[in-house]
Amino acid sequence: DQQVKQNSPSLSVQEGRISILNCDYTNSMFDYFLWYKKYPAEGPTFLISISSIKDKNEDGRFTVFLNKSAKHLSLHIVPSQPGDSAVYFCAASALSGGGADGLTFGKGTHLIIQP
Amino acid sequence: DTGVSQNPRHKITKRGQNVTFRCDPISEHNRLYWYRQTLGQGPEFLTYFQNEAQLEKSRLLSDRFSAERPKGSFSTLEIQRTEQGDSAMYLCASSLAGTGRAPLHFGNGTRLTVT
């Protein structure tokens, strides 16, 4: 049973427009959420995180929104640039594990920025 | 480069052989994680160390898998009697435990191919 779901395997967006990547989770114990970006042949790179006490966190062109009641988060990239083309993973963890739970990842969304 | 370093980058082995991978975390990080990623999936948590103590190992895939972090610095992941299903990317990550939540920083992985 997947606890973190990214239902769009791929997303194509025109350069300069907004990219919106979505993620749903089922485990109500999750309280820390992260987005990672991955290029081929490289490990995932941390992008942005949000704790459950917030509903929005912004860092430059990247904003993460958290809707706890819907168990949904989204990553907005504005404006989208060609270098943003990559696979994006949503991940979550529960503080109760003291870090021992590790992160639970979704399957990823392949974002393609069209020129 | 002071990021997470993994060696080797690629390993091809015959079924039944043992393999060992090494991970050197970011030097000040006290937490170290191992993940496995197969095609089309997100990284899957395997095990976790805080300093030299292995605090979670129930998610290791079978008793053929073992990990060590003898002096709380580098770590090794060993797979004994490899099977074709072990072919995957093995990722190492590290983080700094503190009062807040810290993102994991990943290495570029070791790609294992079992023939």
Side-chain angles (χ1 to χ4, degrees):
Chain A
D1 179 34
Q2 273 225 298
Q3 296 187 65
V4 177
K5 299 177 184 178
Q6 294 178 256
N7 292 320
S8 299
S10 67
L11 175 67
S12 184
V13 174
Q14 201 165 11
E15 182 179 355
R17 305 294 287 268
I18 183 171
S19 295
I20 300 176
L21 295 97
N22 293 303
C23 177
D24 297 291
Y25 62 96
T26 58
N27 187 341
S28 58
M29 298 300 291
F30 287 149
D31 63 351
Y32 182 55
F33 304 89
L34 308 89
W35 285 94
Y36 282 82
K37 173 180 179 180
K38 186 180 183 304
Y39 293 120
E42 294 184 10
T45 301
F46 170 70
L47 267 180
I48 192 168
S49 64
I50 188 167
S51 106
S52 59
I53 61 172
K54 293 186 174 182
D55 54 18
K56 177 182 174 181
N57 188 27
E58 195 171 351
D59 183 1
R61 295 186 298 115
F62 302 92
T63 303
V64 57
F65 295 92
L66 175 62
N67 181 335
K68 289 186 291 293
S69 61
K71 294 192 176 68
H72 177 82
L73 63 156
S74 61
L75 174 68
H76 292 210
I77 307 173
V78 184
S80 301
Q81 299 175 353
D84 297 330
S85 295
V87 177
Y88 289 78
F89 290 100
C90 172
S93 74
L95 182 60
S96 59
D101 289 347
L103 294 176
T104 301
F105 282 83
K107 291 187 177 184
T109 296
H110 185 194
L111 177 64
I112 302 161
I113 305 300
Q114 305 277 9
Chain B
D1 189 324
T2 57
V4 177
S5 176
Q6 291 189 248
N7 287 289
R9 288 297 308 274
H10 303 275
K11 178 72 177 177
I12 300 173
T13 192
K14 292 187 177 179
R15 189 178 54 181
Q17 298 293 305
N18 298 345
V19 294
T20 300
F21 310 139
R22 177 178 169 126
C23 172
D24 288 90
I26 293 171
S27 58
E28 62 268 26
H29 286 184
N30 53 0
R31 287 185 173 167
L32 187 147
Y33 301 78
W34 284 99
Y35 284 77
R36 182 181 80 155
Q37 186 176 16
T38 53
L39 196 61
Q41 302 295 316
E44 175 188 10
F45 171 68
L46 296 179
T47 189
Y48 147 75
F49 293 85
Q50 178 145 328
N51 300 311
E52 66 275 10
Q54 190 174 14
L55 299 185
E56 173 60 62
K57 56 182 179 181
S58 66
R59 307 259 195 103
L60 285 167
L61 300 163
S62 80
D63 58 7
R64 298 183 296 106
F65 287 70
S66 64
E68 293 183 343
R69 193 182 184 197
K71 296 182 180 178
S73 57
F74 74 92
S75 175
T76 57
L77 177 70
E78 182 181 16
I79 309 173
Q80 296 183 325
R81 305 181 303 282
T82 53
E83 301 173 357
Q84 286 187 319
D86 297 333
S87 296
M89 174 74 81
Y90 291 86
L91 293 162
C92 175
S94 68
S95 72
L96 182 61
T99 54
R101 307 297 288 277
L104 274 59
H105 297 269
F106 283 86
N108 286 331
T110 294
R111 179 165 295 284
L112 173 66
T113 302
V114 182
T115 61

